[in-house]
Amino acid sequence: MPTVLLIDDHAMFREGLRNADIAQRLSTTERTVKAHISAIFAGLEVNSRTQAVIVARRAGLLGRRPR
């Protein structure tokens, strides 16, 4: 299961890509991406991608933004 770190490594979550685009890049289904994102939200106790990035960054779970 991709973690916040994996999604950050690919810069997809932070880039705001749609689930379909993330699925295509990871060669998986959109349903799988939705399940992973739901698990991330539950783990971070958030309800949106923006909240997830903020909480993960504050917790030191995300690396620096690529340049």
Side-chain angles (χ1 to χ4, degrees):
M1 169 192 255
T3 63
V4 173
L5 291 173
L6 176 59
I7 292 171
D8 182 57
D9 286 343
H10 293 285
M12 292 179 282
F13 197 78
R14 191 169 51 208
E15 287 175 17
L17 294 180
R18 296 177 306 126
N19 290 350
D21 296 326
I22 294 171
Q24 184 177 14
R25 287 195 188 180
L26 293 177
S27 299
T28 191
T29 66
E30 189 172 351
R31 183 177 178 174
T32 299
V33 171
K34 286 180 183 180
H36 293 175
I37 291 173
S38 292
I40 290 167
F41 285 4
L44 295 175
E45 299 179 352
V46 298
N47 296 310
S48 73
R49 291 173 186 238
T50 301
Q51 289 175 330
V53 171
I54 291 168
V55 169
R57 184 172 297 280
R58 286 181 182 160
L61 298 174
L62 298 180
R64 290 177 33 171
R65 192 176 266 244
R67 292 182 182 183

